[in-house]
């Protein structure tokens, strides 16, 4: 202990410390104690290290578990899918099953005892139980390692398939379990997650229902918490079901139109000028100019009809700079668009669009029944009611107004419907026609965009001093009383289009940068045509009865949210 | 003539005219002459009008031609497709064929004589000859009307199918012609178009080939003229072929991946922060904040893998604010993206991507042979050479460098290839392996993005003082010596990712707004994964050997072009 003072590290000379000569007696005592402590700890650590080394040397399983490198050479061993194993072996009987290798997510892991750990392995929506049991060939160290793997870690499992004594209730595969022989982590998750996947399986709270819990005691997680941790949230089976359905709608849309001779197009999102009214358009810094984000592919899909393409469709992002923080608005969503030339009457197109929607609904009912049913166990709304085949209720706007008035609403002949009025009318149609899906036809001309074709009568009798009177060849489609699609016959004649642009309630300039080429397109010949645009997220929301459209967007965007 | 002076209109009294008393004698004479002239003209017009009225009254065809209203009631008459008529009747023999009704574009119209007009009607790529002949039931007025319809007008034709005496050489349907009985315009095109569709059927000029003409005497129209009048340009069969092929690539991409368990996703284009380097990103005014346009769905598709989706794909617009005015750069293009978890080695993914590309190439060869052949008659390049089945040349980067050096190029081991070097290597590979398609594997780590997985050896031996040494698990795919896809194994471990972000040649901050959620995604567990992004327009351009990528975009965007 003689050299103790010499070992005191040199202290930097701080302000006001210049006069201190050295450590006091008390300080020396304290330092001595600390040193003793440190020496003891080091000794213990060395002993522990030695013990561990000996143990490791004696660990019969040491090659059979641990962490895998990020980059590996192919082994040539087949990696199985749980879904295939279930199909192949669940209904077979055997004493000792086949050896299998598979990659999976750890959905649960616990050390039952020093000799036994239980795990649940998952591959997307399929799960299987696994047992890690100590034996002559499997060490207690490996049992402990297995039972301590954090949930959500990604692993490679080697094991033998066995029949459990009783069906496993907590996994999707109930008549098989894995007796693990090797277990390696590919990616070790942190042990504390900001959101539990099991909690994300539940619904979001209703309005005013903060801090509530589910019947099973799990918290009802708020929408914002989920969206802030969206990658974890999206791991939930609930979200896998929602987004499988969302992709399903796109496939059903595409296959229906392909069979009818449509061709997919890719039109620009960057525009040189705002083309459909300037208020809800995002502005982009484009080198030394300004550009604007497309609010729809409207003008371009019409130009494609003028370019003789006859029937076009497009699936792509749509941008709306609407400062609306409602449960049904997004600033970026996916548009399903179509446009087609017709022979005589725009109802040819309305009928095809009705059939398209029925194809989508029926496809969801059959091909996505499992997913729809799963979501319905979480968000318990009435099943979506479809009209009898071929009998989609199609109401003239005036008839809709009459139904609302008969029900006590005050509304003018040519007024646009408010959101509550739309919902009210949806309820009245459901009551009268037994369908959650219907079409409101012949909207008033004044509340539709400038390119909308006025009805025959409106063309003849148009009176500039009464611009708010008269109907048009346009329609909205509704699900559960909410609009999912807007469409119309478009004006295909350049001089008449120019006239309508000028006399529209909100006039636009046919010679402006954003519209000149569009108007010109019709000078070079164009057939009569009609079309529509569907909001994909709204269809998903309304099919499933989700309480918020953000639940139907992987990474939703609204005026307050741009991340993640 | 007495009241002549009284009829002189009152002239406004301009500056310096105050002293004039009235018209001079000469002026009076002149006015008298003008009046006489006007009266004669009026008389002639009245006579003409009367004659026309009489003629119209005597016009036996007056109900059988003219302009149709924009809105019509359905007639119940079936409207035929030329392609169906050809299939059904071209190989049949008959004296007088069936009556047909169809909608079509006037591709040509001429008055042969007062009694006879010839027209060519088109429906997309199908054309048929028509005859309008005066008779007891068809007036000369109608013949004149028909022969004077401007090219590109849209019409409804009623007629009788006949066999022409000799096959018609100038139409696609050669063994049928229409004897017109009724003819109505739906949309009358202007008679002077800024670009002729027939001219748009040819190629664009080569560099320095201004004002050249084709062998048939038609002008070789410059790219800018076409793009400025894109709707007319797109009417050309050449463009119908190109954009059918473009959609074909998307379908082939989708069907291949769907069969292998991929799911389509829709990730945001509006980002809260630039995520992949700030230099080539477009900035958006987002209410009171700034947003940025996605340069790729890279980070989001990886987050989907972390969210257990295993295999994802996306087709969507990609935005690059690169001020490059080359023949192969666009500021907005269509990305075909895919990302997948793999079991052991990222070459599982490379192999699948090679097979994907072969599926696309073979699909184009078989299903789009007609379109490919058509474009090849215009742009006469070598046919695209495919490798023998399953033998896509896959070269280690070092091998590529060696081939270039052996050919006399000066290039460092870890240098990126210049565009000419890429083309040179493409030619060398074609020579050696007989394939226009090959993969360059194991790119140098330093020239790839931060999320690229270093090779095993580079991980072990990484030396911060030599950041430009070492390879990575990344690859580019090439067609005709030009890059069409970039991809890699990605880092799936959060701590290692953070380390790589900091030590990258261009370091990024793992805690920044644009990257925090991305890095966190890997803290919650993620399997090893790899993927790639394909530029759709480049595939189309290189498959067909088009001289400019703009020809593969409906409405291309570059630093100088935002319209139409």
């Amino acid at each position: 202990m003689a050299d103790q003072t010499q070992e005191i590290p040199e202290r930097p000379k701080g302000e006001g410390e210049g006069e201190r000569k050295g450590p006091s007696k008390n300080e020396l005592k304290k330092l001595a104690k600390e040193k003793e402590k440190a020496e003891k700890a080091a000794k213990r650590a060395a002993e522990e290290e030695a013990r561990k080394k000996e143990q490791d040397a004696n660990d019969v399983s040491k090659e059979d578990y641990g962490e895998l490198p990020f980059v590996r050479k192919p082994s040539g061993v087949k990696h199985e899918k749980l879904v295939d194993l279930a199909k192949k072996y669940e209904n077979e009987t055997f004493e000792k099953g086949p050896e299998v290798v598979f990659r999976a997510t750890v959905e649960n892991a616990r050390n039952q005892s020093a000799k036994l750990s239980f795990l649940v392995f998952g591959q997307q929506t399929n799960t299987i139980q696994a047992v890690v049991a100590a034996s002559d060939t499997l060490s207690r160290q490996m049992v402990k390692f297995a039972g301590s793997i954090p949930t959500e870690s990604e692993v490679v499992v080697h094991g033998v398939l066995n029949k459990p004594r009783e069906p496993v209730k907590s996994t999707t595969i109930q008549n098989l379990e894995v007796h693990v022989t090797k277990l390696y982590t590919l990616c070790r998750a942190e042990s504390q997650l900001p959101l539990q996947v099991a909690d994300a399986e539940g619904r979001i709270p209703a309005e005013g229902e903060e801090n509530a819990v589910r019947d099973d005691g799990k918290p009802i997680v708020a929408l914002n918490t989920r969206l802030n941790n969206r990658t974890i949230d999206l791991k939930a089976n609930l979200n896998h079901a929602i987004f499988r359905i969302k992709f399903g709608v796109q496939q059903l849309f595409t296959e229906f139109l392909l069979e009818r001779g449509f061709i997919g197009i890719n039109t620009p999102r960057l525009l040189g000028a705002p083309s459909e009214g300037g208020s809800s358009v995002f502005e982009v810094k484009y080198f030394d100019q300004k550009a604007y984000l497309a609010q729809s592919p409207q003008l371009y899909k019409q130009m494609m009809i003028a370019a003789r393409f006859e029937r076009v469709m497009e699936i792509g992002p749509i941008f709306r700079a609407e400062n609306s923080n409602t449960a049904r608005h997004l600033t970026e969503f996916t548009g399903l668009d179509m446009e087609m030339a017709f022979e005589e009457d725009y109802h040819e197109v309305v009928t095809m669009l009705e059939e398209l929607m029925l194809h989508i609904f029926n496809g969801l009912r059959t091909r996505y029944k499992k997913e729809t049913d799963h979501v319905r166990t979480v968000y318990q709304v009435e099943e979506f009611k479809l009209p009898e085949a071929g009998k989609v209720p199609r109401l003239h706007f005036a008839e809709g107004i009459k139904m609302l008035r008969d029900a006590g609403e005050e509304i003018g002949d040519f007024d646009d419907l408010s959101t509550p009025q739309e919902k009210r009318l949806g309820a009245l149609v459901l009551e009268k026609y037994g369908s959650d899906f219907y079409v409101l036809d012949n909207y008033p001309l004044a509340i539709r965009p400038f390119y909308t074709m006025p009805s025959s009568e409106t063309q003849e009798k148009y009176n500039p001093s009464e611009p708010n009177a008269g109907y048009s060849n346009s329609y909205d489609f509704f699900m559960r009383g909410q609009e999912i699609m807007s469409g119309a016959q478009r004006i295909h004649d350049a001089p008449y289009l120019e006239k309508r642009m000028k006399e529209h309630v909100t006039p636009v300039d046919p010679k402006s940068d954003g519209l000149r080429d569009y108007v010109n397109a019709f000078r070079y010949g164009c057939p009569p045509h009609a079309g529509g645009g569907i909001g994909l997220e709204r269809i998903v929301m309304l099919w499933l009865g989700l309480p918020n459209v953000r639940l139907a967007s992987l990474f939703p965007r609204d005026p307050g949210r741009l991340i993640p």
Side-chain angles (χ1 to χ4, degrees), chain A residues 246-456:
Chain A
K246 186 176 184 179
F247 180 56
V249 174
Q250 295 173 74
Q251 282 184 285
L252 289 160
F253 174 84
T254 304
E255 73 183 22
F256 179 90
L257 295 178
L258 276 184
E259 271 172 31
R260 283 155 187 82
F262 282 73
I263 179 174
I265 56 174
N266 311 91
T267 66
R269 306 292 121 172
L270 287 169
L271 310 182
S275 48
E276 296 178 72
S279 66
S280 61
V281 64
F282 286 115
E283 188 184 299
V284 181
K285 209 168 149 261
Y286 193 79
F287 306 104
D288 297 331
Q289 310 174 54
K290 282 180 188 172
Y292 302 87
L293 290 181
Q295 291 155 281
S296 85
Q298 181 60 39
L299 308 190
Y300 288 97
K301 61 185 185 171
Q302 285 190 254
M303 286 158 85
M304 294 305 292
I305 300 297
R308 298 194 192 163
F309 276 74
E310 284 282 313
R311 296 182 168 200
V312 296
M313 62 178 177
E314 182 165 25
I315 299 180
I318 303 284
F319 306 95
R320 300 273 167 91
E322 289 170 6
N323 206 341
S324 308
N325 282 288
T326 76
R328 61 192 208 121
H329 283 91
L330 294 168
T331 52
E332 178 179 349
F333 63 90
T334 306
L336 307 181
D337 267 277
M338 59 81 75
E339 196 76 25
M340 64 182 268
F342 59 80
E343 303 303 338
E344 296 184 314
D345 173 24
Y346 82 103
H347 288 105
E348 294 164 30
V349 183
V350 181
T351 301
M352 184 185 282
L353 286 170
E354 288 171 358
E355 284 166 7
L356 165 65
M357 292 310 302
L358 291 179
H359 177 76
I360 292 173
F361 296 145
N362 287 320
L364 290 177
R365 267 201 172 164
T366 50
R367 293 187 224 167
Y368 294 88
K369 187 180 183 324
K370 199 178 120 191
E371 288 82 359
T372 301
D373 288 349
H374 178 80
V375 179
R376 283 170 50 74
T377 62
V378 178
Y379 291 103
Q380 293 162 9
V381 295
E382 291 280 314
E383 196 176 340
F384 191 86
K385 286 192 188 58
L386 285 182
E388 286 170 49
K391 290 201 171 179
V392 178
R394 189 194 294 170
L395 276 59
H396 191 288
F397 191 81
E399 195 183 336
I401 294 289
K402 187 176 177 299
M403 283 174 76
L404 280 171
R405 281 191 192 142
D406 288 350
E409 287 282 335
E410 278 185 35
I411 185 165
D413 281 351
F414 300 102
D415 286 357
D416 203 356
L417 305 184
S418 67
T419 304
Q421 283 167 339
E422 283 182 350
K423 287 189 183 166
R424 185 88 190 268
L425 186 53
L428 293 168
V429 171
L430 175 61
E431 201 183 315
K432 188 168 175 184
Y433 299 96
S435 175
D436 273 315
F437 169 53
Y438 83 100
V439 176
L440 195 57
D441 195 10
N442 308 103
Y443 266 67
L445 180 63
I447 59 175
R448 305 297 279 201
F450 61 81
Y451 45 72
T452 310
M453 181 65 85
S455 70
S456 234

Side-chain angles (χ1 to χ4, degrees), chain A residues 8 66 70 141 158 182 195 215 235 290 301 327 350 378 402 430 433 441 446 482 562:
Chain A
I8 295 170
F70 301 143
Q141 291 98 310
H158 295 236
K182 298 179 184 179
L195 170 67
D215 293 344
K235 290 176 195 256
K290 282 180 188 172
K301 61 185 185 171
V350 181
V378 178
K402 187 176 177 299
L430 175 61
Y433 299 96
D441 195 10
Q482 292 194 48
L562 274 171

Side-chain angles (χ1 to χ4, degrees), chain A residues 37-258:
Chain A
K37 229 173 157 180
E39 282 171 343
K40 276 188 184 165
K43 202 181 162 196
R44 272 201 305 276
E47 283 168 4
E48 177 68 24
E49 177 74 8
R51 202 163 37 238
K52 204 172 174 308
K53 265 199 180 157
E54 203 189 315
Q55 269 187 359
D56 281 357
N58 294 333
D59 184 349
V60 290
S61 305
K62 70 183 170 198
E63 300 293 324
D64 299 339
Y65 68 97
E67 208 164 306
L68 286 176
F70 301 143
V71 172
R72 289 182 293 150
K73 293 256 177 287
S75 67
V77 174
K78 193 193 172 192
H79 286 58
E80 305 282 352
K81 291 290 160 203
L82 293 183
V83 65
D84 298 330
L85 295 180
K87 267 186 212 150
K88 202 165 167 190
Y89 297 115
E90 238 192 329
N91 297 320
E92 236 181 68
T93 46
F94 45 72
E95 274 300 298
K96 199 189 170 192
E99 286 184 37
V100 293
V101 178
F102 59 91
R103 176 173 56 79
T105 306
V106 174
E107 300 209 2
N108 200 6
R110 64 189 164 92
N111 289 306
Q112 176 86 347
S113 71
K115 292 183 184 174
L116 189 65
S117 288
F118 284 105
L119 293 96
V120 173
F121 294 125
Q123 280 179 351
Q124 298 193 285
T125 55
N126 304 287
T127 52
I128 193 166
Q129 178 167 273
V131 181
V132 189
S135 70
D136 289 353
T137 56
L138 197 152
S139 69
R140 288 187 181 205
Q141 291 98 310
M142 178 168 163
V143 172
K144 191 178 170 193
F145 167 86
S148 315
I149 299 176
T151 305
E152 298 309 319
S153 296
E154 196 73 11
V155 294
V156 175
V157 183
H158 295 236
V160 177
L161 281 190
N162 268 274
K163 290 277 159 183
R165 271 173 224 138
E166 283 176 31
V168 185
K169 280 178 187 158
S170 56
T171 53
T172 63
I173 299 175
Q174 310 202 316
N175 288 315
L176 288 174
E177 65 177 17
V178 188
H179 283 207
V180 173
T181 54
K182 298 179 184 179
L183 185 60
Y184 306 99
T185 53
L186 284 162
C187 179
R188 211 176 163 83
E190 292 191 355
S191 35
Q192 292 294 321
L193 302 188
L195 170 67
Q196 298 302 313
V197 178
D199 298 348
E201 294 290 4
R203 64 178 173 84
I204 60 169
E207 240 174 289
E209 192 195 21
E210 279 77 39
N211 304 318
V213 292
R214 274 145 56 181
D215 293 344
D216 61 3
K218 291 200 189 300
I220 298 181
V221 184
L223 180 60
N224 260 333
T225 307
R226 293 168 190 260
L227 296 183
N228 289 340
N229 300 283
R230 190 59 162 164
T231 311
I232 304 178
D233 192 34
L234 289 173
K235 290 176 195 256
N237 286 340
L238 173 66
N239 278 320
H240 278 247
I242 290 173
F243 291 100
R244 285 184 68 81
I245 287 170
K246 186 176 184 179
F247 180 56
V249 174
Q250 295 173 74
Q251 282 184 285
L252 289 160
F253 174 84
T254 304
E255 73 183 22
F256 179 90
L257 295 178
L258 276 184

